[in-house]
Amino acid sequence: MKNKILYLLLMVLSVFTSCRKDLGNYEYTELDSLVISGVEESYTGYLEINLEINPELNFANGRDFKDKEYSYEWFTIVGADKKVLAQTQKLNKKLNELEPGKHELYFRVTELSTKRFWEISSELTITTRIADGWLVLNNISDTARLDMLHFNSTTKNYEYNKNILAEWSKIALKGKPKLVYFVYNYDPFTSKPTARIYVGSDQETYSIDNTNRVWTSYRNLKEEVFRPTKVGYHAQVIRGMGSSNRVYMLDSDGVVGYEYPINGYTYGPTINRLNTGVQLKVSKYIAEKYTNTNPYLLMYDTDNKRFITHEGTNRASLVPSSSLPDVLNPANVGDDLLYMESVRLSSIQFYALFQNPTTKKLRLLRATNPSSGVLRPLAFDDVESTFGIESADFYAVDPNYGYLIFAKGNKVFQYDPFNKVFKTLLDVGNRSISLIKFQRILQVFNNVRYNEFGSKLMVCTYDQANPNSSGKMEFYKINLSDTPVLNEVYEGFGKIVDVSYRQ
């Protein structure tokens, strides 16, 4: 920074003009000054796209400007060094050599015979077309394709970018698409904070360091797991805690791992076990206490039909107690888990839908974690078998009102657990539903746009007769009593398997 300031001071003492004011040259009169116009005070440059700037050069006294008598430079200052970008009068090139972020862009015109020069500067922001937006994982004839809806901050619209892994990286996923997940975490090899994208199939998962919003820094997830793994190893579920940058993962080996490298935690050791026991088989529905400073994960032991939790710095899990043992015995629930999720309402609450394996009766648990090792049931009520809730294709919990949303066939339903009322929300007609969800906001909480779309129900559908190009993603505003209101529609996808947001 000091070197850059020194450079700028020297430039002030030297001969130059600025984009705000033409200072001229100390041996030129005011009338003989070179006027550089057609250059804006600021630019946004996108990686992989040419930035075009066409300056106009004229003398103040009206004499002809002869371009062959001058040399030209476009450059920035990186540390103490000048980084030359082009040596042409007009700039028209990709600026891939610059890191994403803010730079000062200089344009210098030098008279060859005298070496006197004029110079202007602009603020340059380098970003990408895929810097902020929806990551959409598609099933295209049982192969994976990752698309992105990039938010254009100028037009305030989302722009569709197709097959970004093929365009921006050399990743070619083998197998059927499974998950895409964006999370802030720490790199297990450097312990530096990263903005990371995981994208995976049923055969492999890639970990992409997207901190600088580029797609060239990636590795197979197997490299981040510090234990031997099987052929076809991949992530089943990844869940980030949010601002604390801690992450949980359930993998294809049935191992639940916890990653927080700066405290010595990396994927590999098994936490879905008790201190004295072996690895426990847990449901794919794991529920984290997201945005909480201390790590907390609620799991369900499917063999023993009980809850287990991982908390804090523990190297294993424990069986929690209950603040109301007459309502809930976490060590002996006795039912099969159909679905579990955490949701932020007035506090983080856990929803768990159960079915008795013998009687087939349904129950819905709503609980909190008031203190270490304790579950506090808010309610553990019987639920009617309405609209096929026990065999739904997809579930979600409404973060606005605490409703349980589920999809079956071509319809979306709502269950109000407070009044025990079922309701049909949507009928998508002859289309099929491939995903419903509410996008979780984990890191940037003061962004109005993020909070708005995080409150809306996402419904992804496709036409079974044309699944590879008929995918649609719609956002609905859920009202307390009225029908949902369709706010946004995005089309042109395949069969959408998973969606995450790159904040």
Side-chain angles (χ1 to χ4, degrees):
M1 179 59 72
K2 290 182 179 179
N3 289 324
K4 184 175 180 181
I5 292 173
L6 177 60
Y7 173 83
L8 293 175
L9 289 174
L10 290 173
M11 296 313 302
V12 170
L13 295 174
S14 187
V15 285
F16 72 98
T17 61
S18 76
C19 57
R20 285 83 169 177
K21 184 178 180 181
D22 182 6
L23 298 182
N25 183 290
Y26 64 85
E27 290 194 9
Y28 282 75
T29 66
E30 183 70 23
L31 290 176
D32 205 26
S33 295
L34 181 67
V35 178
I36 303 175
S37 57
V39 178
E40 303 295 334
E41 292 190 359
S42 63
Y43 289 94
T44 297
Y46 292 91
L47 296 178
E48 302 297 337
I49 299 177
N50 283 16
L51 176 63
E52 297 185 30
I53 305 177
N54 300 319
E56 296 180 7
L57 306 175
N58 297 285
F59 283 105
N61 62 7
R63 72 182 175 96
D64 290 341
F65 178 83
K66 299 179 180 180
D67 57 354
K68 293 183 178 179
E69 297 179 0
Y70 299 84
S71 65
Y72 312 94
E73 268 190 330
W74 297 88
F75 64 93
T76 62
I77 304 301
V78 180
D81 301 320
K82 181 171 77 170
K83 190 177 188 68
V84 178
L85 304 173
Q87 293 180 309
T88 55
Q89 181 177 336
K90 297 179 181 180
L91 181 67
N92 184 3
K93 67 166 295 187
K94 298 174 183 178
L95 302 181
N96 291 351
E97 63 264 52
L98 295 180
E99 292 287 333
K102 292 189 180 298
H103 303 266
E104 196 73 13
L105 175 66
Y106 298 92
F107 174 53
R108 178 183 293 180
V109 181
T110 302
E111 188 175 46
L112 295 174
S113 60
T114 65
K115 304 303 179 184
R116 294 162 180 153
F117 61 86
W118 296 262
E119 187 173 284
I120 62 173
S121 67
S122 302
E123 183 181 89
L124 173 64
T125 300
I126 295 294
T127 183
T128 76
R129 287 189 290 122
I130 50 176
D132 174 358
W134 295 101
L135 298 162
V136 183
L137 185 64
N138 304 267
N139 184 323
I140 307 296
S141 300
D142 284 342
T143 62
R145 188 186 79 202
L146 184 63
D147 299 341
M148 187 171 188
L149 289 173
H150 165 67
F151 181 73
N152 187 316
S153 58
T154 301
T155 64
K156 308 301 180 185
N157 293 319
Y158 285 97
E159 299 172 348
Y160 178 42
N161 294 271
K162 184 178 179 180
N163 203 3
I164 60 175
L165 293 184
E167 181 178 358
W168 298 84
S169 73
K170 295 181 180 179
I171 297 174
L173 277 173
K174 296 180 295 185
K176 297 179 182 179
K178 190 167 188 67
L179 66 82
V180 60
Y181 193 79
F182 173 73
V183 65
Y184 290 92
N185 65 355
Y186 289 93
D187 188 282
F189 299 103
T190 66
S191 292
K192 293 182 178 180
T194 68
R196 193 166 295 276
I197 292 169
Y198 292 95
V199 58
S201 69
D202 60 358
Q203 295 185 31
E204 58 186 358
T205 302
Y206 279 92
S207 165
I208 305 168
D209 182 355
N210 200 238
T211 305
N212 291 329
R213 302 182 188 274
V214 295
W215 298 74
T216 53
S217 177
Y218 55 82
R219 55 181 171 247
N220 193 298
L221 177 63
K222 290 169 69 75
E223 299 175 36
E224 296 183 12
V225 179
F226 293 86
R227 72 167 194 276
T229 56
K230 300 175 182 177
V231 175
Y233 177 84
H234 61 275
Q236 297 270 30
V237 182
I238 299 175
R239 291 288 181 265
M241 290 289 296
S243 55
S244 64
N245 290 30
R246 294 162 167 86
V247 185
Y248 287 100
M249 176 178 67
L250 169 63
D251 64 23
S252 55
D253 291 342
V255 172
V256 178
Y258 167 62
E259 186 182 62
Y260 192 53
I262 61 175
N263 275 10
Y265 290 86
T266 55
Y267 294 136
T270 303
I271 64 171
N272 52 320
R273 64 179 183 87
L274 304 183
N275 281 327
T276 58
V278 296
Q279 177 181 322
L280 299 172
K281 183 180 178 181
V282 298
S283 166
K284 67 178 181 179
Y285 294 111
I286 58 176
E288 76 284 13
K289 195 174 182 180
Y290 63 97
T291 70
N292 195 55
T293 303
N294 295 316
Y296 181 92
L297 186 71
L298 183 63
M299 297 166 280
Y300 194 70
D301 177 352
T302 56
D303 287 336
N304 297 292
K305 296 183 176 14
R306 62 183 177 183
F307 283 111
I308 59 172
T309 61
H310 175 263
E311 300 185 46
T313 59
N314 293 328
R315 299 286 176 173
S317 297
L318 55 85
V319 178
S321 63
S322 173
S323 62
L324 297 172
D326 292 339
V327 177
L328 169 68
N329 179 5
N332 185 25
V333 178
D335 291 344
D336 294 327
L337 179 68
L338 302 180
Y339 168 72
M340 183 166 66
E341 186 62 277
S342 57
V343 61
R344 176 170 288 282
L345 296 167
S346 56
S347 61
I348 294 293
Q349 295 185 18
F350 300 96
Y351 280 54
L353 181 65
F354 293 97
Q355 184 173 48
N356 186 282
T358 303
T359 66
K360 304 303 179 184
K361 291 185 63 175
L362 302 171
R363 292 191 294 171
L364 178 65
L365 172 69
R366 293 183 293 112
T368 62
N369 163 238
S371 59
S372 179
V374 177
L375 280 177
R376 176 175 175 263
L378 304 176
F380 201 3
D381 298 329
D382 292 340
V383 177
E384 294 296 324
S385 176
T386 304
F387 297 137
I389 187 173
E390 71 277 10
S391 57
D393 302 312
F394 306 98
Y395 298 92
V397 181
D398 183 347
N400 305 291
Y401 306 113
Y403 299 146
L404 178 61
I405 311 295
F406 61 100
K408 187 175 176 64
N410 63 346
K411 294 183 175 63
V412 180
F413 306 97
Q414 172 186 290
Y415 175 63
D416 175 355
F418 312 101
N419 299 298
K420 299 185 179 181
V421 174
F422 284 87
K423 174 182 177 180
T424 301
L425 280 184
L426 298 168
D427 185 335
V428 299
N430 59 1
R431 297 180 65 83
S432 298
I433 297 171
S434 63
L435 179 70
I436 64 169
K437 71 175 293 186
F438 290 91
Q439 178 61 42
R440 223 172 246 175
I441 307 304
L442 295 178
Q443 201 82 15
V444 185
F445 305 108
N446 58 353
N447 186 302
V448 174
R449 178 169 56 87
Y450 289 176
N451 290 324
E452 283 183 352
F453 68 61
S455 67
K456 297 174 183 176
L457 175 65
M458 176 197 302
V459 180
C460 300
T461 64
Y462 67 100
D463 182 353
Q464 289 190 358
N466 184 26
N468 291 346
S469 60
S470 63
K472 185 185 298 186
M473 185 167 69
E474 299 177 316
F475 290 86
Y476 291 87
K477 179 177 177 57
I478 303 297
N479 297 303
L480 192 58
S481 56
D482 295 333
T483 58
V485 177
L486 178 62
N487 287 156
E488 301 167 66
V489 181
Y490 302 100
E491 301 182 80
F493 303 103
K495 179 181 177 181
I496 298 173
V497 174
D498 199 12
V499 177
S500 188
Y501 198 91
R502 201 293 182 208
Q503 296 185 22

